[in-house]
Amino acid sequence: MSQVNPDNKEHRLPSPISNPENIDFLAAAQENQLLLKYCNSCKEAHYYPRTICPHCGSDDTTWVKSNGHGEIYSYTVMRRGVAVPFAMAYVRLQEGISMLTHLTNCDFDSIRIGQKVKVVFQETEDGQKTHLFEPI
Ligand SMILES: [Zn+2]
């Protein structure tokens, strides 16, 4: 299992796996848009994308565009046992949900909880784009 790009400089992002509930989410990522599922019944957003709202059980859910801004809730930097260090974080979006994601375009030693971040999109190992976050 390879963890690095051929140039051996960047962590290689794993490709997202498509399913009927996230196919629109993944298609939007190819257009550099972050979509969230929003429940019209309880007025809450959720992630990961699901047809049935995890808060109230309603199937009256729809897609909304995230503004892509949030802050780091928690993070870790993987340095051991990997060819190239990488950082992962829980990012809390302004829409009120948290997502597990990679961090990019940052000095791993300067990452801080509460740091403001915004979404960016990068290609994964199979060429699909996926979301990750960088400091503002
Ligand atoms: Zn709901």
Side-chain angles (χ1 to χ4, degrees), residues 37-117:
K37 269 288 188 151
Y38 179 81
C39 175
N40 292 314
S41 180
C42 72
K43 314 299 184 197
E44 296 276 345
H46 63 265
Y47 178 82
Y48 54 93
R50 281 157 282 188
T51 303
I52 304 295
C53 173
H55 304 294
C56 74
S58 170
D59 66 355
D60 185 11
T61 61
T62 189
W63 293 106
V64 295
K65 286 183 192 172
S66 168
N67 71 13
H69 288 256
E71 65 178 44
I72 294 171
Y73 175 77
S74 183
Y75 71 94
T76 187
V77 179
M78 304 297 292
R79 298 180 196 271
R80 292 184 173 204
V82 294
V84 179
F86 63 96
M88 297 196 70
Y90 273 103
V91 167
R92 183 177 289 158
L93 295 176
Q94 288 181 348
E95 290 87 354
I97 63 166
S98 296
M99 53 174 52
L100 182 62
T101 182
H102 284 81
L103 299 176
T104 190
N105 301 329
C106 59
D107 171 7
F108 293 160
D109 293 329
S110 68
I111 298 170
R112 297 291 177 264
I113 289 172
Q115 191 169 7
K116 306 292 186 204
V117 292

Side-chain angles (χ1 to χ4, degrees), residues 24-37:
D24 292 340
F25 176 83
L26 298 180
Q30 308 319 301
E31 307 296 324
N32 300 324
Q33 288 189 347
L34 183 64
L35 294 184
L36 301 176
K37 269 288 188 151

